[in-house]
Amino acid sequence: AQSVAQPEDQVNVAEGNPLTVKCTYSVSGNPYLFWYVQYPNRGLQFLLKYITGDNLVKGSYGFEAEFNKSQTSFHLKKPSALVSDSALYFCAVPSGGYNKLIFGAGTRLAVHP
Amino acid sequence: KAGVTQTPRYLIKTRGQQVTLSCSPISGHRSVSWYQQTPGQGLQFLFEYFSETQRNKGNFPGRFSGRQFSNSRSEMNVSTLELGDSALYLCASSLRGDSNYGYTFGSGTRLTVV
């Protein structure tokens, strides 16, 4: 069965420092992987996706993600964090079947001034 | 273009009542998926509709149901509400109805059952 895991409940980083939010996956076949962000009292917003090709995927708001097949990881990164990046981040993988995504538990990112 | 619209944004209901939530997808999108989000269980898939047909269903009791209309708008209904149904209900639409391409989410309906 397809699954993703986000090993950290919360990540704290100082503004201006690089950030990493971790995600590992378990899929059969070629993986499709997603990152979404959720701000308070809002729905999820798409950040980026990996389908195939370059291992470094660039997305919205300056975020990028590094796909590593040997480590089965898809970590979200940003070179310089902003306070406005503070939110809940989810990685996700298609589950098979029609139009169903399996989400990780989420990681709360807190960027401190 | 307009995004995914969910109404109402907030609801307070009493145990035992029923509730209907509405979702209008992005124009042209034929697939609508529904998720329940709670602090304890995270994001859980409820069901997916494509061209008025339910194609996929999650592990929820029969009290949770949905439908899709010919204009792709979707509703979900929860009958005999329980306290544990308190959650943020999210719908998401997609053009292709293929999860390999991801979705666009609405802002959700916050349901509180008292």
Side-chain angles (χ1 to χ4, degrees), chain A residues 38 41-45, chain B residues 2-11 19-26 32-37 43 46-47 72-77 87-93 103-111:
Chain A
Q38 185 177 34
N41 297 315
R42 301 302 301 272
L44 276 68
Q45 295 180 27
Chain B
V4 179
T5 303
Q6 291 189 246
T7 56
R9 288 295 309 275
Y10 301 93
L11 268 179
V19 67
T20 299
L21 312 181
S22 178
C23 173
S24 293
I26 290 173
V32 173
S33 298
W34 289 88
Y35 287 81
Q36 181 196 63
Q37 185 180 18
L43 283 153
L46 280 157
F47 27 64
S72 294
R73 190 177 71 85
S74 178
E75 291 181 346
M76 67 163 282
N77 183 276
L88 180 66
Y89 290 89
L90 294 164
C91 85
S93 76
Y103 315 124
T104 301
F105 280 87
S107 293
T109 294
R110 171 79 60 187
L111 172 65

Side-chain angles (χ1 to χ4, degrees), chain A residues 1 3 7 13-14 16 27-28 33 37 39-40 56 59 61 65 73 75 83 89-90 93 97 100 102 113:
Chain A
S3 66
V13 64
V27 303
S28 55
L33 296 160
V37 60
Y39 297 99
L56 188 64
Y61 314 120
S73 66
H75 299 334
V83 172
Y89 290 81
F90 294 94
V93 63
K100 174 182 175 181
I102 300 294

